[in-house]
Amino acid sequence: MNIDFRDKNVFVMGGTSGINLGVADAFAESGARVAVASRSREKVDAAVDRLRRHDGEVSGYVADVRDESAVGEALGSAHEALGPLDVLVSGAAGNFPAPALGMSPNGFKAVVEIDLQGSFNVLRAAFPTLARPGAAVINISAPQAFVPMELQAHVCAAKAGVDMLTRVLAMEWGREGVRVNSVVPGPIADTEGMRRLAPSEKLTTAVRESVPLGRLGSAREVASTIMFLASPFANYVTGAVIPVDGGWSLGGASRMSAALSDAFAQQAGG
Ligand code: NAP
Ligand code: COA
């Protein structure tokens, strides 16, 4: 399959590290004009530098997805600089492992505001900047959206909401020619998400062994599915929630819930 993104405009919210930066990098390598945004000016500048090695047009914006007007400004500036957006990837997220009783209301709220309200803010502000018809929106979800996991009440609630946003907006925006899908990464190597959820070698090994394909995934593998969804090969795909997880959500993620919870309790107990 040869997918060409030359002359396409791609915006990746939260695209300055980890999986999302890998996604931005894959689009830049395929010839797209790429814009990334996140909270930290340092991370934005570093990501822009890295993406420029592909010689394409790259821009970066500072915005917190919880700040509706900053999000609007970032998307508006990208629209002005590049023209209508062909692809929007919305992947800003936060996570920390904590039992519900060890999580303050503000801790729960912080994650829900970044992952869920933030996704709403981004999609809502992006709509006028999208190429219509033809644009593809891809939300980054997580197995926690449909696999309940201990220590993850905030993420489970937020990402389940993100997948529902995907489905509702796929219905509302379908007639405008805008497709909306979710991609659900499983455990991805060398990411902040994995460092937080499986902070020891022992836990990382246990996670790996709980994946049917027997290994962690890579950001490139997540990017491949996102690029498929953004391409004409997926012209009739909308409202889909697609795991890219080596089969982890079939059972392994559920089994790991207790192991992660035990490890956390042992660590907390010293
Ligand atoms: P990461 O490197 O921490 O990526 C998160 C990105 O979001 C960063 O660019 C961060 O940059 C940005 N961000 C965080 N809060 C933000 C806010 N309030 N406003 C704007 N940007 C914000 O983590 P990752 O592990 O690669 O995760 C990336 C995505 O994949 C997330 O949606 C996550 O839920 C999902 N996921 C990851 C895994 C995994 O194995 N890692 C598994 C399933 C799903 P700043 O700090 O500069 O804001
Ligand atoms: N355990 C329990 N509560 C925690 C916590 C932890 N490990 N880490 C943060 N919190 C709580 C804080 O105590 C605070 O609650 P309080 O005001 O009642 O004390 C609340 O969460 C908000 O923390 P704060 O640091 O002010 O939020 P923030 O908006 O600056 O950061 C986070 C948001 C907490 C999600 C932060 O971890 C973050 O920025 N993460 C982005 C990177 C990331 O998580 N990557 C993985 C993506 S899957």
Side-chain angles (χ1 to χ4, degrees), residues 92-131:
N95 192 4
F96 54 82
L101 294 178
M103 188 186 289
S104 70
N106 197 41
F108 185 86
K109 185 173 160 194
V111 169
V112 171
E113 277 194 347
I114 297 170
D115 292 27
L116 179 54
Q117 180 74 47
S119 299
F120 179 78
N121 293 345
V122 170
L123 269 58
R124 189 173 187 280
F127 186 76
T129 73
L130 296 176

Side-chain angles (χ1 to χ4, degrees), residues 14 16-17 19 38-40 43 63-65 91 141 159 185-186 188 191 193:
T16 61
S17 62
I19 297 173
S38 78
R39 293 169 300 179
S40 146
K43 283 178 70 173
D64 188 318
V65 291
S141 181
K159 293 289 195 181
I188 303 301
T191 58

Side-chain angles (χ1 to χ4, degrees), residues 7-252:
D7 293 325
K8 298 293 182 194
N9 299 324
V10 177
F11 191 106
V12 185
M13 182 53 88
T16 61
S17 62
I19 297 173
N20 305 329
L21 177 56
V23 171
D25 193 66
F27 275 111
E29 190 180 293
S30 302
R33 289 183 286 264
V34 175
V36 292
S38 78
R39 293 169 300 179
S40 146
R41 164 56 65 193
E42 258 186 359
K43 283 178 70 173
V44 169
D45 290 346
V48 167
D49 271 358
R50 171 173 160 179
L51 296 169
R52 286 216 167 112
R53 77 183 196 283
H54 298 298
D55 294 330
E57 198 175 325
V58 179
S59 50
Y61 304 94
V62 174
D64 188 318
V65 291
R66 294 168 286 192
D67 179 346
E68 209 185 316
S69 67
V71 167
E73 272 174 40
L75 283 155
S77 304
H79 185 220
E80 212 171 289
L82 306 173
L85 303 178
D86 301 289
V87 182
L88 169 72
V89 178
S90 174
N95 192 4
F96 54 82
L101 294 178
M103 188 186 289
S104 70
N106 197 41
F108 185 86
K109 185 173 160 194
V111 169
V112 171
E113 277 194 347
I114 297 170
D115 292 27
L116 179 54
Q117 180 74 47
S119 299
F120 179 78
N121 293 345
V122 170
L123 269 58
R124 189 173 187 280
F127 186 76
T129 73
L130 296 176
R132 302 190 301 278
V137 175
I138 294 105
N139 288 319
I140 308 294
S141 181
Q144 289 92 321
F146 43 89
V147 178
M149 290 185 76
E150 290 163 72
L151 314 179
Q152 292 286 277
H154 45 5
V155 175
C156 289
K159 293 289 195 181
V162 168
D163 286 349
M164 269 301 170
L165 265 185
T166 290
R167 296 180 179 108
V168 172
L169 295 189
M171 293 171 81
E172 292 186 359
W173 294 356
R175 284 182 203 289
E176 302 272 355
V178 175
R179 296 181 296 106
V180 187
N181 292 289
S182 280
V183 161
V184 184
I188 303 301
D190 296 323
T191 58
E192 186 58 25
M194 274 301 287
R195 280 187 282 278
R196 288 178 182 222
L197 276 191
S200 66
E201 189 47 47
K202 193 173 159 203
L203 273 178
T204 306
T205 302
V207 171
R208 185 185 309 121
E209 287 171 354
S210 69
V211 176
L213 289 185
R215 63 176 177 82
L216 301 189
S218 69
R220 270 291 155 138
E221 288 170 323
V222 178
S224 298
T225 298
I226 290 177
M227 292 171 96
F228 158 71
L229 285 170
S231 79
F233 289 101
N235 269 352
Y236 204 52
V237 181
T238 195
V241 174
I242 303 184
V244 182
D245 67 351
W248 197 53
S249 55
L250 299 174

